[in-house]
Amino acid sequence: MAVKLSADSCKLFLGFAMRASLAWGQQSLDLEIHEPNLVVGQCAPIVPNLDDPVRALRDAVEHPLDYPALRLALTPDDRVAIVVDEGIPHLAQLLVPLLQHLGQANVGPAAITLICMPPSSGQAWLDELPDEFQDVHIEVHQPNDRKKLAYLATTKQGRRVYLNRTAVDAEQLVLLTRRGYDPLVGCSGAETALFPGLCDAATAAELATEFDSQAPGAEPWPIQAEAREIAWLLGAPFFVQVIPGEGDGTAHIVAGAIDSSGAGQRLLDARWRVEFEQPADVVVASVTGDPARHTIDDLARAFFAAVRVVKPGGSIVLLSEITPALGPAFDLFRRHDDPALVQNLLLEEKPHDLAAGTMWATAANQAKLYLLSGLTNDLAEELFVI
């Protein structure tokens, strides 16, 4: 999911630009606003989407960063587990070259397990895989089932680490994930898909409230640093990192061992990080791409990103084509009329959609929220938005 403010070359505009085109959903909106209302942010020139992400993935696993081709680390008897990020656009298309690469090492589909992180989308994308890969196994991580977990090791800080058993027992673990920004781990994807992505329920609950509203910096946040240690303890997991582009596109794909994580994060920052010298009265933001693959979490992340650069009490206008399903966190919104109170209740009750609820409530507590979506007006108002 790409959260995009109106863009022109290397500038992103908060408030309104003199002439700007704003992508939202699968549409665009042209704006012409007085230049004095413009707040300009500085970023690198925007990288266009890859013309052929499938070829880019094939090249990435054949030529990883400072690492031999993945196939050279495998034998025909190896069991391979692939953690798949179901939010990746055109996931099945990107899985095909990865599975073909494993086949070059004579690792057959029956020796491969695809692991999805909860909550799973239902794996409709499996139907798009060619018939030759229909024997791959599929598994949704179950953090509450002790039989599905395995003890890995104890970290330097004394944490006993329990992870998905299939991932721990595999001779080779591959993680195919997007990179993004996250209020819990800082920079999501790669090693954080391993931990806390595949950890046990007790650990997930312990970490679930460690939110930070600041933008991630160059140094890894505590949970991400711990995730890197756990990746080393596991052995040699192989990371395939997808850097989102505009809409449903991909800007970069990079692969390698744990040391490649930093390169993926730098590419993410180069494509999406923008810095502003002053906050704006109004932020116009959007969620772009196919609305069928977006959820309430994407709207929450968009609000949360925008609130970092809006003045306290300012306005955030979020455009989308999403009609999201609402989880238990948003039931609390509907029962209370104070976003600050909802924030506290979320931390007490810890519903499974705690992150989305907390990001949304944080934004509602700091700014006036306007939302274009498939939600009815009455329901939207119960969620503190106009």
Side-chain angles (χ1 to χ4, degrees), residues 80-125:
V80 178
I82 303 175
V83 178
V84 293
D85 177 351
E86 294 187 88
I88 295 175
H90 315 298
L91 173 59
Q93 295 179 25
L94 294 182
L95 269 173
V96 170
L98 179 55
L99 296 173
Q100 289 173 337
H101 184 87
L102 300 179
Q104 294 178 35
N106 294 315
V107 176
I112 300 171
T113 301
L114 305 178
I115 304 174
C116 302
M117 292 172 284
S120 174
S121 67
Q123 304 101 46
W125 46 269

Side-chain angles (χ1 to χ4, degrees), residues 56-187:
L57 191 142
R58 184 178 294 111
D59 291 343
V61 295
E62 183 65 32
H63 305 287
L65 296 178
D66 301 318
Y67 204 77
L70 174 60
R71 58 183 172 80
L72 298 179
L74 302 172
T75 69
D77 295 329
D78 284 345
R79 294 165 299 166
V80 178
I82 303 175
V83 178
V84 293
D85 177 351
E86 294 187 88
I88 295 175
H90 315 298
L91 173 59
Q93 295 179 25
L94 294 182
L95 269 173
V96 170
L98 179 55
L99 296 173
Q100 289 173 337
H101 184 87
L102 300 179
Q104 294 178 35
N106 294 315
V107 176
I112 300 171
T113 301
L114 305 178
I115 304 174
C116 302
M117 292 172 284
S120 174
S121 67
Q123 304 101 46
W125 46 269
L126 277 175
D127 295 333
E128 301 176 32
L129 288 179
D131 290 342
E132 62 186 292
F133 301 120
Q134 293 305 306
D135 288 338
V136 299
H137 303 281
I138 186 75
E139 173 184 329
V140 177
H141 175 56
Q142 300 179 46
N144 288 298
D145 189 343
R146 298 296 293 186
K147 295 180 180 179
K148 300 290 186 179
L149 299 168
Y151 171 71
L152 175 67
T154 300
T155 65
K156 295 177 181 178
Q157 299 297 322
R159 185 191 302 281
R160 290 177 60 83
V161 179
Y162 293 89
L163 296 177
N164 177 277
R165 181 175 295 277
T166 302
V168 172
D169 290 346
E171 278 75 30
Q172 179 65 61
L173 177 65
V174 181
L175 297 100
L176 173 59
T177 62
R178 293 168 297 171
R179 298 310 302 263
Y181 301 108
D182 184 90
L184 183 66
V185 300
C187 189

